[in-house]
Amino acid sequence: MSRLFSAYVIVDWSAAAKPATGADSVWIGVLKRDVRFRMSFEAHNPATRQEAEKVLVGVLDDLKKRGERALLGFDFPLGFPRGFADALKLPGEAPWRAVWDQIDKMVKDKADNTNNRFGVGSELNRRMTGGPFPFWGCPPKDALTTLQPKRTRAHGPDDLPEFRHADQAAKGAASIWKLYYNGSVGGQALLGIPAIRRLKAARGDAVRVWPFETGFKALSEADLDGVEAVVAEVYPSLLKIKASPGEVKDLVQVRETAEHFARLDEAGKLAPLFAVPPGADQDVADAADREEGWILGAGHG
């Protein structure tokens, strides 16, 4: 079996409110063939999300010229827990796309990284529950009636789920409702989804989002005909990566995650990871396919 991809681009996103480099900032790892056709790694550490988008555009343009297809992995959720689109009364038959469109309309992310993610979380809470739930987490100075620094209550049986099925399969993944503090993937998702949406808008069907646009299935070369990049959610913590003293953990994670998927692809073991995990119920598969998304490799042992 031939490789599905010839390049592996892993993005460690950030919700930082000001320009930043080094630890806890945006890192982009690119594993691709060099002039001697050997796999070679390079890293980028742009100070802002807008600069990161420009880097990604440049990387994808270069790969397109070379006729190489990329796996483009982002380390934040690409979808929200089941029922989110309905709770917001969003129209359309594709809940994930309705949510992406809504978030893109609401998010303001400026060139200097200042952004309104807490205001967006507050407004989404207001529309869903009228109170500070389910989104939570912000600096005390940004607290609002419908968004509080700490979680105000636990999720009950009549609430939206705290976790997606993929988060539970990954055993330890954070809840997307958390917008601030360590491990706050919610802020990254609110600021990252519009960036992916812009990449897609510029490239059309040449960029496909898994599993929403590819199907939740093992991918083949025929499935990816004409595709330049497949966007997938990745979770480096699945790999138990450890940085050596003096190394930036984020850099190590994007490098080792890219190398991990490249090794699987070379061995013909990557394609099956795009399929529904063994033993998953049909309702789990349907929720992932329509609105929640999935973490590449989660639930596959």
Side-chain angles (χ1 to χ4, degrees), residues 21-157:
T21 56
D24 301 320
S25 63
V26 177
W27 283 88
I28 300 171
V30 183
L31 185 65
K32 62 182 181 181
R33 297 193 183 279
D34 61 18
V35 293
R36 297 184 180 179
F37 297 99
R38 297 174 302 188
M39 295 305 287
S40 177
F41 178 81
E42 62 185 34
H44 305 267
N45 184 210
T48 67
R49 284 177 293 276
Q50 286 197 14
E51 291 176 25
E53 283 191 55
K54 292 177 182 177
V55 170
L56 287 171
V57 167
V59 168
L60 293 179
D61 284 347
D62 175 62
L63 292 172
K64 180 180 180 180
K65 290 177 183 176
R66 295 158 53 138
E68 299 186 5
R69 182 187 303 127
L71 172 64
L72 180 52
F74 290 87
D75 72 336
F76 56 79
L78 304 183
F80 286 75
R82 53 207 174 274
F84 183 58
D86 282 344
L88 289 171
K89 298 180 173 59
L90 300 180
E93 297 181 1
W96 74 272
R97 190 182 298 277
V99 169
W100 279 35
D101 291 345
Q102 182 63 47
I103 290 173
D104 185 58
K105 289 177 184 177
M106 299 175 74
V107 167
K108 307 299 180 188
D109 195 6
K110 297 182 180 179
D112 63 355
N113 264 2
T114 57
N115 63 82
N116 67 338
R117 69 186 187 278
F118 301 127
V120 171
S122 174
E123 174 60 17
L124 291 171
N125 278 346
R126 185 193 68 77
R127 296 184 188 185
M128 288 187 289
T129 66
F133 184 87
F135 286 103
W136 64 275
C138 65
K141 67 180 178 63
D142 292 309
L144 297 161
T145 303
T146 51
L147 186 72
Q148 291 295 303
K150 301 293 184 180
R151 192 168 75 154
T152 56
R153 66 178 176 86
H155 288 251

Side-chain angles (χ1 to χ4, degrees), residues 174-209:
S175 169
I176 198 170
W177 307 123
K178 182 179 177 182
L179 299 181
Y180 194 56
Y181 312 111
N182 290 337
S184 55
V185 296
Q188 294 182 31
L190 288 181
L191 299 176
I193 285 173
I196 300 175
R197 187 178 180 279
R198 286 187 288 272
L199 282 175
K200 267 195 56 61
R203 286 175 158 75
D205 287 340
V207 172
R208 302 274 181 86
V209 182

Side-chain angles (χ1 to χ4, degrees), residues 262-280:
R263 286 193 298 269
L264 290 177
D265 205 4
E266 180 70 27
K269 296 179 179 179
L270 179 58
L273 297 189
F274 291 97
V276 178

Side-chain angles (χ1 to χ4, degrees), residues 4-16:
L4 287 179
F5 306 98
S6 47
Y8 308 84
V9 182
I10 305 298
V11 184
D12 185 342
W13 203 243
S14 168

